[in-house]
Amino acid sequence: ASVLLGAAIAPAGAQPLSDEWQVTVVPYLMGAGLSGTVGARALETDISVSASDILSHLEFGVMGIVAARKGSWGIGADAMYVGLGATTDQPAADLDFNQTAIALYGFRSLGPVADVTFGLRINGLDGAVATKGPVGVEVSQDRWWVDPIIGVLLRSPQDRRAQFRVYTEV
């Protein structure tokens, strides 16, 4: 990353940054697997699910980025919501799990093809399990937290027909 960042900063004088507002709106897709421990209240279990298994239970999902830049500075937001659900016969139950992540950030240009980003991400997970039958029981729980983030964005030059971006954060 340091070598790429150094190469991105080196030609800083090549293109002056625009003093006009530039707004970018990008919807995107992401595939991810899941492994670990999942639970609601006192009920916990280990889980290992592939990206294709998650996609088969997708009820709704939306992801997108909005960023506005003027000169060397900019602001942005990255939002993601994923709703997953399943119904089982043995035991008869409905399962519903949702994830929300909203990042709000600022960024500063390091050169014509690199930015440093800084901000925070609001994360939320909620799940519910409802059993069917004579003794129907519903258990649900949610968790919300905020994480600070700092990252680096590398992008291809803007004068190209197709543009590519690579972003990483901690």
Side-chain angles (χ1 to χ4, degrees):
S2 298
V3 171
L4 289 174
L5 188 57
I9 295 171
Q15 291 178 334
L17 294 168
S18 173
D19 220 15
E20 300 289 323
W21 279 103
Q22 298 173 337
V23 178
T24 304
V25 178
V26 180
Y28 64 89
L29 299 172
M30 178 175 60
L34 175 68
S35 65
T37 302
V38 64
R41 303 215 174 162
L43 303 173
E44 288 189 352
T45 188
D46 291 331
I47 188 169
S48 179
V49 185
S50 69
S52 62
D53 287 338
I54 290 175
L55 187 59
S56 70
H57 294 287
L58 181 66
E59 293 178 336
F60 181 76
V62 63
M63 300 169 191
I65 296 172
V66 175
R69 168 190 305 275
K70 184 174 183 178
S72 298
W73 292 92
I75 57 173
D78 182 353
M80 175 195 77
Y81 174 83
V82 177
L84 301 172
T87 300
T88 63
D89 294 327
Q90 290 298 330
D94 288 324
L95 299 102
D96 186 35
F97 293 94
N98 305 302
Q99 178 180 7
T100 304
I102 301 168
L104 306 171
Y105 57 89
F107 53 90
R108 171 85 163 100
S109 176
L110 297 175
V113 295
D115 295 332
V116 64
T117 65
F118 46 90
L120 57 93
R121 175 170 285 112
I122 303 162
N123 299 287
L125 294 172
D126 64 81
V129 177
T131 61
K132 301 175 186 177
V135 185
V137 175
E138 184 171 334
V139 179
S140 65
Q141 187 171 18
D142 66 349
R143 292 278 189 250
W144 288 86
W145 68 96
V146 176
D147 290 323
I149 54 176
I150 185 165
V152 174
L153 170 69
L154 302 175
R155 60 186 177 279
S156 62
Q158 293 183 2
D159 60 351
R160 304 280 160 74
R161 185 173 190 173
Q163 293 185 18
F164 298 96
R165 295 171 188 240
V166 175
Y167 178 69
T168 186
E169 68 184 33
V170 177

